[in-house]
Structures are given as C-alpha cells and as structure tokens.
Amino acid sequence: MAGVQVRDLVKVYGRQLAVRGIDLDIPDGAFVVLVGPSGCGKSTTLRMIAGLESISHGELLIDGMRANDLPSRDRGVAMVFQTYALYPHLSVRENLAFSLKLAKVDPADMDRRIDGAIEALELQPYLDRRPSELSGGQRQRVAMGRAIVREPDVFLFDEPLSNLDAKLRNQMRVEIKRLQHRLGVTTIYVTHDQIEAMTLADVIVVMKDGEIAQQGTPLEVFESPANKFVASFIGSPQMNFFDGVIQQNGNDFAFVNAEMTIPLDDNKYHAALHDGQRVIGGLRPEDIIPDGHGLQPTGGIKINGEVSLTELLGNESLLFARCGAMDFVARMQQPRVVKDGETLEFHIAGSRLHLFDSDTEMSLKMI
C-alpha cells in the first residue's frame, strides 16, 4: 500500500488553467473522494495521478517516491473508468487475466489473483460471459476486478457509478466501500455526486474552478462549510441562503432581515461580527421545521410561510415555501398532504445558522 502526496499540482491546456496549484496529502489506506461540479478539475487531477495526463507543474509522490515522469504502468496504480473499458470479445475471466498476461505474471500467481477477485466480487456465475451479456452493475464489478488483480498500491475511480440506475448505484456504493475496507488499499475516487462523496469518503476534497474549496471529513465539511459554495454543494437539497445584517446590542448579536430575527447565542461567530455588518445566513432544510412535523427547536423563532410546491419522498416531504420576499425549502418529517397555497408555521433552529461574509462568501466561523 502507499500514500499519495501532490505539491502545487498544476495542469495547463494551451492558455486554460485546469488545475491551479493544489496540495493534497492522502495517507496510506485512506479513502479520499474528490467532488465538485463538471469542469472543476477533479478528473484531470486523477488522470495526472494515474499518468494519463502530463503534469504541467508541481510534484506527485507515491509511497514517498517522485512519480511525475514514471509511466502509468510503473506507478502502482489501477484505474476504474466510468465506461467500464472491457474488451468486448473476451470473457469475464479473460478480461481479468488480460493485463496479467501482458505483464507476464507467473501462471500460479495469476490464478491466485483472479480467484481472489472473483470471490471478492462474486463473479463466479459470469466467468464465461462476454461484456455484452452482462448488466451495467456486473460490468462495473468486472472492471473493478481488473483493477484488483493488479494488486495496486492505489485504486483510482473516475465516476464509476454514473452510468448505473439509482438502485444499482446504491448497491455498488456499498460494495466499493466494503471492498476498500477489506483490502485496505489507498483509494482516490472522483464524483460529482455529493451523496456518493458523503457515504464513501474518509476525507472529502471539494473542488471548484481548479482549486480546493475545502477538505475534511464528511461531518466536518457538512457541519462547518468553509464558504457558501461548499455549503450549497454539500447537502441535499442544498442549504437555504438569506441576506441579512448583524444587529448588536451590548454583547448580544442577532441576524436580522425583514422576515426574521435570529439571536446568535453562542460565541462561534462573535469575534468576526460587528453592528450593521452585511452577511448571508444559511439554514439547511432540516433546520426549518413545519409545526408539528419534527422536533421543535428551542428559542421560539417562528415564521409563517406559504407553500408553493411539495415533493413527497415517502418517509419525508420537502416543502418549497415563501415568507415575504424570502424563499426557502423545509424538510417535513411524518409527512402529510400539503396543498399548494397552504400557509404553515415554521420553527427555526437558530443555533444551526451558518454565517458567510456578503462580499467574500467565506464562512465567518473560519476567521
């Protein structure tokens, strides 16, 4: 196994700067997920680590050794692609064996590796089938098997589940996590799906415009987003944002706009606040609670909202509502039918409020 470090990693295409000098330390055995919108540089970063893209500037270390100029086959990495990349004319077993034959692996060792991958991924029923005879989930398992048999130091996954339906994505997510736990191989996984990132990662790296917006454990990134972009990207549905100002009365502070006043009782922001300061307040949908449909928070902060749309999800509903000029989404537990135009009372979990600077959009908690 091996750790991976990148130092001031840059990728330039012509005059376009795709990756802007990022630094990453990935410990041996960690599961790290690079997540962000299309075009943020996450797949380019992965391809530079894999050796499929040249490094314009910076340094890549794998197991402490500089790997910038090493051929891909000598880096000790194995990559699983979005498109499976299986040989259509070969059976499952032949696909698993292909790279080992090219590497002239001893036949006994080859059988050991292949049998281990077959057992780990439960591929026994499909060994004589060709890719065209397999489902999408089965093909992806074979693609993972091709990576496993190489016994790499580092697994690289480039959006491997994006071609699967929702049910298969959930199943494969569990399989990948179990497999990584069992093998203990350092894993770098790229996705645009923040649910995949939250459920799979030991460490999430959120990217935007070729830079790292934040990195941390899933809980750290969810609970303490470094800026408005991270707050909007991590969490489904995304955080609600409200423009407001800080009102100071002695040592007491409050977030105020035309529709609500939220006292800021703790001191996590106080050092960064002053009277009249323009800020952006953020509340997640689960922190805006319809009366009688969830655990009512303390503080007695209430607003009335007119519901314009309801999304029933089975065990919960999402309510799209408006209070004055303020639009928001609330999460309703113990769902019931809510008619369009119905007015409800909503309780605000003020202690869960996030504050961002109106100009920089950076979290005031981070200052």
Side-chain angles (χ1 to χ4, degrees):
M1 309 310 162
V4 177
Q5 294 82 40
V6 297
R7 300 281 181 264
D8 195 23
L9 199 67
V10 174
K11 181 60 183 179
V12 180
Y13 295 105
R15 295 184 177 181
Q16 180 185 355
L17 197 56
V19 178
R20 300 169 180 263
I22 66 171
D23 294 292
L24 269 177
D25 282 289
I26 301 172
D28 183 11
F31 196 127
V32 174
V33 176
L34 309 183
V35 64
S38 297
C40 71
K42 56 188 185 297
S43 288
T44 301
T45 299
L46 193 76
R47 292 174 66 84
M48 283 192 283
I49 294 171
L52 303 178
E53 295 279 358
S54 61
I55 296 172
S56 301
H57 175 78
E59 190 170 52
L60 167 66
L61 303 174
I62 299 177
D63 199 20
M65 298 181 60
R66 192 174 189 274
N68 289 46
D69 302 316
L70 279 180
S72 181
R73 65 180 178 274
D74 296 331
R75 295 190 181 195
V77 303
M79 191 158 175
V80 179
F81 296 90
Q82 176 181 349
T83 53
Y84 316 133
L86 302 177
Y87 296 103
H89 62 291
L90 300 181
S91 69
V92 166
R93 189 175 188 91
E94 289 167 338
N95 265 283
L96 295 176
F98 188 82
S99 63
L100 302 181
K101 288 181 177 178
L102 286 181
K104 296 184 167 68
V105 173
D106 177 78
D109 189 24
M110 182 188 305
D111 288 340
R112 177 188 62 79
R113 296 190 194 189
I114 292 172
D115 290 343
I118 290 169
E119 181 178 358
L121 295 166
E122 299 180 355
L123 292 172
Q124 293 93 336
Y126 318 115
L127 294 181
D128 295 324
R129 298 187 191 180
R130 289 184 168 79
S132 61
E133 301 172 285
L134 303 175
S135 69
Q138 291 162 354
R139 292 180 199 177
Q140 195 56 277
R141 281 156 61 190
V142 177
M144 289 167 58
R146 290 211 317 173
I148 290 171
V149 297
R150 295 180 58 187
E151 297 186 343
D153 296 319
V154 182
F155 277 138
L156 306 176
F157 290 87
D158 189 8
E159 303 206 38
L161 308 184
S162 58
N163 287 336
L164 305 181
D165 62 42
K167 182 179 178 181
L168 273 176
R169 277 202 305 274
N170 292 339
Q171 292 175 349
M172 289 300 299
R173 227 175 31 229
V174 172
E175 287 190 30
I176 289 172
K177 188 68 171 179
R178 284 177 176 164
L179 183 67
Q180 197 271 342
H181 277 176
R182 185 160 63 248
L183 299 177
V185 178
T186 306
T187 300
I188 308 173
Y189 187 106
V190 161
T191 182
H192 63 274
D193 186 329
Q194 55 91 23
I195 294 176
E196 279 182 33
M198 290 290 290
T199 54
L200 286 172
D202 299 324
V203 174
I204 290 178
V205 178
V206 185
M207 296 189 67
K208 179 188 180 188
D209 299 332
E211 298 178 318
I212 294 175
Q214 186 175 0
Q215 57 182 299
T217 67
L219 189 60
E220 288 169 347
V221 173
F222 184 82
E223 292 287 352
S224 301
N227 50 57
K228 183 184 175 186
F229 168 76
V230 174
S232 67
F233 196 83
I234 299 297
S236 180
Q238 75 166 41
M239 185 181 288
N240 297 287
F241 297 105
F242 315 107
D243 292 325
V245 296
I246 296 301
Q247 188 177 86
Q248 183 176 3
N249 183 12
N251 292 324
D252 297 326
F253 294 84
F255 170 86
V256 178
N257 65 17
E259 283 71 38
M260 60 186 177
T261 297
I262 301 178
L264 304 174
D265 295 327
D266 57 44
N267 60 6
K268 65 183 177 184
Y269 292 110
H270 287 189
L273 302 180
H274 58 80
D275 192 44
Q277 180 180 2
R278 292 170 51 250
V279 296
I280 301 167
L283 284 167
R284 298 200 182 275
E286 54 268 29
D287 300 323
I288 303 176
I289 302 157
D291 186 46
H293 291 273
L295 185 63
Q296 181 176 322
T298 59
I301 307 163
K302 304 175 186 177
I303 59 173
N304 291 320
E306 181 180 326
V307 177
S308 60
L309 179 68
T310 302
E311 286 188 349
L312 181 62
L313 303 177
N315 63 328
E316 63 183 18
S317 290
L318 300 178
L319 305 181
F320 295 77
R322 166 170 282 218
C323 175
M326 187 174 75
D327 293 309
F328 61 91
V329 182
R331 196 185 298 273
M332 174 185 273
Q333 299 175 18
Q334 308 161 9
R336 67 170 178 83
V337 175
V338 179
K339 296 179 181 178
D340 293 352
E342 185 174 343
T343 297
L344 299 178
E345 184 176 71
F346 294 88
H347 300 266
I348 305 298
S351 64
R352 301 283 297 164
L353 181 73
H354 298 261
L355 291 178
F356 305 92
D357 183 87
S358 284
D359 296 322
T360 66
E361 297 190 348
M362 296 298 294
S363 171
L364 294 172
K365 189 177 179 181
M366 310 299 287
I367 293 176

